[in-house]
């Protein structure tokens, strides 16, 4: 299943299965690895406003940040940076967001 559909479904209140969380986790890892290749992928575009609202994120939040946020909500690390912070730091380093 497309990760964007899973994110949209979750933003409307549908619970995610363990398998779906794993799919999203693999998707995030793939997107992070590919950031050095290109920033033209869809994950570096803004998610629709209804998804951002559903996840309680700012309007025009990138898909990759929505993905990281969902994973943080389901498996937040006990120590260190959250996935959202790691992704934001990476986007900042690449010049894709302004800090």
């Amino acid at each position: 299943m497309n990760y964007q559909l899973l994110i949209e479904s979750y933003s409307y209140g549908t619970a995610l299965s363990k398998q779906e969380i794993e799919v999203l986790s693999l998707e995030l890892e793939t997107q992070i690895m590919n950031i050095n290749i290109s920033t033209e992928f869809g994950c570096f575009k803004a998610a629709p406003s209804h998804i951002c609202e559903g996840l309680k994120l700012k309007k025009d939040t990138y898909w990759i940040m929505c993905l990281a946020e969902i994973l943080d909500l389901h498996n937040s690390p006990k120590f260190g940076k959250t996935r959202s912070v790691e992704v934001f730091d990476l986007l900042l380093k690449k010049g894709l967001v302004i800090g």
Side-chain angles (χ1 to χ4, degrees):
M1 180 178 254
N2 181 309
Y3 79 93
Q4 292 173 333
L5 292 175
L6 286 174
I7 291 173
E8 184 166 27
S9 179
Y10 181 79
S11 74
Y12 284 124
T14 302
L16 297 172
S17 70
K18 212 176 211 183
Q19 184 180 16
E20 289 169 329
I21 296 296
E22 285 182 31
V23 167
L24 292 177
S25 184
L26 288 171
E27 180 64 34
L28 181 61
E29 288 177 33
T30 301
Q31 290 180 11
I32 289 170
M33 288 187 325
N34 288 329
I35 197 170
N36 292 322
I37 299 168
S38 175
T39 56
E40 298 300 314
F41 298 111
C43 61
F44 301 110
K45 294 186 174 133
S49 59
H50 67 278
I51 291 174
C52 297
E53 288 173 20
L55 297 174
K56 297 180 176 96
L57 297 171
K58 287 183 178 181
K59 183 180 175 195
D60 295 328
T61 296
Y62 287 154
W63 279 105
I64 193 170
M65 288 298 300
C66 295
L67 180 52
E69 183 67 24
I70 289 173
L71 292 171
D72 285 343
L73 291 171
H74 285 82
N75 295 317
S76 187
K78 298 195 187 319
F79 302 102
K81 294 180 179 180
T82 63
R83 288 181 181 99
S84 297
V85 170
E86 288 176 357
V87 169
F88 184 82
D89 288 348
L90 183 59
L91 294 175
L92 188 61
K93 181 179 174 184
K94 295 291 182 181
L96 297 170
V97 294
I98 299 171

